[in-house]
Amino acid sequence: MALDQVHVKPSDFVESFFNIPQKPKNTVDMSQLSGGAGSTQGNVVGRFSLKERPYLYEIYNTAAKDVLLMCGRQVEKSTTIGNRILTHSMLLQNFRSMYVAPRDKQAAQFSRNRIRQPIKESEELSLMKGRHRSIRAMLGDQLADNVYYQKFTTGSEILIEYAYLNADRVRGGTADSLCMDEFQDLLFDLLPVIDAVLFTSAYQFRLYAGTPKSVDNTINIYWEKYSTKNEWAIPCDACGHWNILGYANVGKTCLICSKCGAQIHPHHERAQWVSGRDPTWLTDPPLSRPFVGYRIPQPLSPNNNHVVLLDKIENNPPATVNNEVWGFAHDSADKLFSEAKIRPHCDAKFDMERDGRRHAQQNPTVMGIDWAGGSDLSPDQVVSTTAVTIMTVNVHHCRVVYFKRYTGREADPDFVDLDIARLVQEFNVKYVCPDFGGGYQQNFRLQKKFGAHRVIPVHYTGVKLLTWNKNLGRYMAARTEVIQRFAYALTSAQLFKLPSYSDPVARDALGDLYNVYEEMDAKHTRTIIQRTPGTTDDFLHSMVYAFIASMFIVPRPDIIRPTNS
C-alpha cells in the first residue's frame, strides 16, 4: 500500500489511538533545576494530544521525505520519532522502519519507552501488534516482539539499532524509513554506511533529530547548509510583531515580545512555521531535495515551566543554554590542531621531493595508510581518499618525509596497490600500519607481498588504548584516545619534524588535521572526535597509523603503552 493511498492524517491517527505516559500538568520536574535530584511526580498514562503541541502537527503530517529536527532537551523528540515510526507501521503494509542511536543503552531505552510501552498502553495498537489472544492463536509466534525487532499484523517491521564507533549492526540491512536519533553524536564517517539501508526502497524517508552542540557538528552543518531552517513564529497581540524564540523573549514572569515587552503565547492560534531562508534559496536550493528543518526550543513544550527556564539561563554556561534550551549551536568545540600549533614543527629547509628519499635511506622508515572509504553522506559528496604518510624514526623524533593522496585516475584500486608496493620498496619501509576498517582486501595483498610481520593493520574500536589481538592479527586502538595522544606528541611533546609548510603537498596534507574537533557526547561523560562535514581527515589517520608503526622501532611508553604486545 502506498502512502498516498492512506487517507488518514498521521496526527489524527496518533490522537485517536495512542496512549502515552506523560508528565502531570502544572508540575515542576525538579531534575531540570540546577542541583535538582529528580522528578517529584511520576508520569501518568493518557491519550496523547497535539492540541497543547500545535507546532507538531506539521511535523507529523509533512509530505517531505527528508526531515531534520534541531531540538532543545526534553521537548519530546524521541516521543515524536516513536509515534511517527509506529504510525508508519500501522498505516502501511510491509513497511520497514529503522531507528539508529549512538549507543546500545539509548536504543534499548527508546524501544522500551517509545515503542513497546505505547503498544502496551493502547488497545488498538496492541490489536495491530497481535497481542489479542485470538490473533496470537491464529498467527502463533510469527509476530516478533523484542527490544531490537518488532513485527505487526500489517507485515510492517521496526528495527532498533545502534552505531557508535562502527556501523557493523546496520551494515547490509534494508529499510524504507531511517530515523537517526541523537544525530549530533553519530560519527560522521559512519553516516554513508547507515544511509545505505535506504538504497533499494521506493520510500526513502529520513528523519534526523538531535540537540546541536558545536557549530562544526554534523547536525548544525545540515541545518545551516541543507535545510529550510523553519522557525515557529509567534505573533504579539499588542504590537503585531512576529517573534522567533530566543533570549530576548524571556521576561521575569513569562515569555514576552522582543519588540514591545507584552506577553506572548507560544501556542497562539495564529502561530506558524516559517522558513528562515530567503525566497531565492527556497526557489533554487543547493539540493534537489533539501531537508525540511524544524527548530524546537524548550519554551515551546507544554512541559515548560518559566521558573525552571529562568534558573537554567541564570545558572548554566551560555553553551549549555544555547544547546539545551534554545536548540542553537554554540562555538564551543575544541580544535586539536591549528596552523598556529602545526607550523612551528615544520622544517622550512626540508623539501620532500629533494630530501625525502635520501633521508629514508639513512634512517629506519615506517608507513601509515588510510584507505579510501567512499563518498560521505554529506550533500557535498566529498570523497574520502587513500592517503599515505611515510616517516623516518629515531630516538628523538619522527620526521615526515613523504605524503601521497590518491585522486583522479590514480585513485583506481589497482594503481593504488601497485604504487604503495613501489613506495614500500623505494623508501625501504620496515613496518606498514594500514587502516583495517577500510581495506581488508588491500591489507591482505600487502601482507602476502611483504609478510604479516611487516604489514600490521590497526582497527579503531572502543577498547583499551592500544591492544594487540593475536587471534585477529591486528592492533585494536581506542580511536579518540589514540588521536589525542598523537596530538600531544605532535603539538606538545615536540616528537615530530614536518616538511616545509611552503610545499603545497605538505600544506594540503596537514590541512586534514584542522578538520577535526573535540566535543563531549550527549551525556557529557566522554569526549569524542568528529570531522567537520564536507571536509577530509585522511592524512590525520595515516599519520596516526605511521606513528603507531614507529613505536615498533622506538617505543614511547610515556605517550602510548600497548598491551598484549
Side-chain angles (χ1 to χ4, degrees):
M1 182 183 296
L3 191 61
D4 57 8
Q5 294 178 287
V6 178
H7 303 295
V8 178
K9 283 186 176 181
S11 61
D12 292 342
F13 184 77
V14 169
E15 290 187 298
S16 298
F17 301 120
F18 282 51
N19 289 333
I20 292 176
Q22 303 166 65
K23 285 184 179 10
K25 293 183 179 180
N26 302 318
T27 63
V28 176
D29 183 351
M30 297 302 293
S31 66
Q32 296 183 20
L33 290 167
S34 56
S39 177
T40 58
Q41 298 191 38
N43 293 340
V44 295
V45 176
R47 187 71 82 196
F48 188 73
S49 172
L50 296 178
K51 291 181 175 58
E52 293 181 325
R53 306 165 176 85
Y55 53 91
L56 289 180
Y57 278 111
E58 181 174 321
I59 295 173
Y60 274 80
N61 297 327
T62 180
K65 288 192 172 186
D66 297 332
V67 176
L68 181 70
L69 303 184
M70 284 270 282
C71 302
R73 290 287 175 202
Q74 303 299 319
V75 295
E76 301 176 319
K77 166 178 61 68
S78 296
T79 297
T80 301
I81 296 173
N83 288 354
R84 279 175 56 106
I85 290 175
L86 284 170
T87 300
H88 285 149
S89 301
M90 303 297 180
L91 295 182
L92 299 174
Q93 293 181 355
N94 303 311
F95 187 88
R96 178 177 288 179
S97 300
M98 180 181 290
Y99 169 91
V100 181
R103 295 185 178 276
D104 182 10
K105 186 176 179 180
Q106 292 168 315
Q109 186 176 35
F110 175 86
S111 177
R112 181 174 60 252
N113 296 339
R114 309 305 177 194
I115 299 297
R116 303 177 82 188
Q117 188 162 9
I119 293 172
K120 175 184 176 182
E121 303 292 352
S122 310
E123 181 179 355
E124 294 82 0
L125 303 190
S126 293
L127 286 171
M128 298 189 78
K129 184 65 184 74
R131 286 185 170 171
H132 192 276
R133 281 181 298 179
S134 61
I135 297 177
R136 282 197 175 279
M138 179 175 60
L139 297 178
D141 295 328
Q142 294 181 38
L143 300 183
D145 180 10
N146 61 57
V147 173
Y148 299 110
Y149 180 67
Q150 299 279 321
K151 190 167 184 180
F152 299 83
T153 56
T154 57
S156 293
E157 302 166 288
I158 299 174
L159 288 74
I160 309 293
E161 304 290 0
Y162 56 91
Y164 186 59
L165 292 176
N166 63 70
D168 292 346
R169 283 183 56 89
V170 180
R171 195 186 306 272
T174 61
D176 299 299
S177 171
L178 174 63
C179 297
M180 287 199 267
D181 200 1
E182 302 298 347
F183 188 50
Q184 74 284 352
D185 287 334
L186 287 165
L187 285 178
F188 187 74
D189 290 337
L190 302 183
L191 301 186
V193 179
I194 300 172
D195 189 71
V197 303
L198 296 175
F199 181 73
T200 60
S201 172
Y203 294 96
Q204 295 193 351
F205 293 159
R206 295 178 179 88
L207 173 59
Y208 301 162
T211 298
K213 295 189 286 190
S214 71
V215 294
D216 288 319
N217 190 269
T218 304
I219 192 171
N220 190 59
I221 296 294
Y222 272 65
W223 173 260
E224 292 292 339
K225 296 179 71 173
Y226 311 121
S227 87
T228 56
K229 298 178 70 172
N230 292 356
E231 300 276 5
W232 186 247
I234 304 167
C236 173
D237 290 331
C239 72
H241 177 66
W242 287 86
N243 293 267
I244 305 298
L245 289 181
Y247 285 99
N249 299 111
V250 181
K252 293 183 178 180
T253 60
C254 61
L255 295 176
I256 61 173
C257 175
S258 61
K259 184 175 181 180
C260 73
Q263 182 175 3
I264 60 172
H265 304 280
H267 304 154
H268 193 289
E269 61 181 8
R270 290 191 293 120
Q272 58 191 277
W273 288 108
V274 296
S275 174
R277 297 292 188 184
D278 62 58
T280 303
W281 192 98
L282 294 173
T283 302
D284 186 23
L287 304 176
S288 59
R289 201 172 86 183
F291 283 78
V292 178
Y294 301 92
R295 182 175 69 92
I296 307 177
Q298 280 189 346
L300 284 186
S301 170
N303 300 317
N304 180 63
N305 181 286
H306 203 74
V307 173
V308 176
L309 177 63
L310 291 173
D311 180 83
K312 286 181 179 178
I313 293 174
E314 183 175 340
N315 294 292
N316 287 283
T320 302
V321 177
N322 280 342
N323 296 162
E324 301 193 358
V325 174
W326 302 116
F328 289 137
H330 187 86
D331 192 9
S332 60
D334 294 323
K335 290 285 188 179
L336 278 169
F337 307 96
S338 66
E339 185 174 334
K341 293 179 179 179
I342 294 297
R343 289 197 68 161
H345 307 286
C346 294
D347 184 349
K349 297 179 179 180
F350 188 88
D351 181 271
M352 288 193 297
E353 187 65 29
R354 182 191 65 210
D355 305 321
R357 287 164 178 80
R358 174 181 55 80
H359 204 271
Q361 298 305 316
Q362 300 170 355
N363 299 273
T365 308
V366 296
M367 175 187 287
I369 307 171
D370 186 48
W371 299 110
S375 296
D376 291 334
L377 180 62
S378 68
D380 307 63
Q381 289 298 298
V382 172
V383 176
S384 172
T385 58
T386 293
V388 168
T389 298
I390 299 177
M391 297 178 184
T392 59
V393 187
N394 62 41
V395 294
H396 302 295
H397 59 255
C398 299
R399 179 185 283 276
V400 175
V401 297
Y402 188 82
F403 284 127
K404 173 75 173 181
R405 190 195 298 272
Y406 292 88
T407 60
R409 292 182 178 180
E410 290 189 343
D412 178 77
D414 291 335
F415 177 87
V416 171
D417 285 355
L418 290 172
D419 197 59
I420 288 178
R422 175 185 65 82
L423 291 173
V424 171
Q425 294 173 327
E426 188 173 318
F427 281 83
N428 193 27
V429 174
K430 188 170 184 178
Y431 294 110
V432 180
C433 274
D435 163 28
F436 171 79
Y440 179 81
Q441 293 295 332
Q442 297 97 315
N443 294 340
F444 176 77
R445 288 192 288 269
L446 279 176
Q447 287 179 325
K448 187 176 180 179
K449 185 174 183 64
F450 297 108
H453 65 290
R454 290 178 66 188
V455 180
I456 306 168
V458 176
H459 187 187
Y460 282 150
T461 65
V463 298
K464 296 178 181 179
L465 184 61
L466 188 65
T467 303
W468 172 249
N469 189 310
K470 182 178 180 180
N471 294 327
L472 297 177
R474 59 180 180 263
Y475 270 96
M476 317 298 283
R479 181 181 185 274
T480 294
E481 290 80 0
V482 165
I483 294 175
Q484 287 173 327
R485 300 294 181 94
F486 166 76
Y488 170 77
L490 173 56
T491 62
S492 299
Q494 300 185 356
L495 286 178
F496 282 84
K497 289 186 179 296
L498 304 174
S500 171
Y501 204 76
S502 62
D503 184 330
V505 174
R507 192 163 58 250
D508 170 67
L510 295 172
D512 278 13
L513 277 62
Y514 310 152
N515 297 332
V516 299
Y517 60 93
E518 289 181 300
E519 63 183 11
M520 299 299 292
D521 65 10
K523 294 188 176 181
H524 297 276
T525 58
R526 181 172 180 173
T527 300
I528 57 176
I529 292 177
Q530 291 273 33
R531 172 168 55 87
T532 302
T535 65
T536 58
D537 61 354
D538 309 307
F539 276 110
L540 166 64
H541 300 295
S542 71
M543 291 179 73
V544 170
Y545 300 144
F547 182 50
I548 291 173
S550 78
M551 288 182 282
F552 303 156
I553 299 171
V554 180
R556 304 189 192 276
D558 55 324
I559 305 296
I560 296 177
R561 184 190 295 273
T563 57
N564 301 328
S565 183

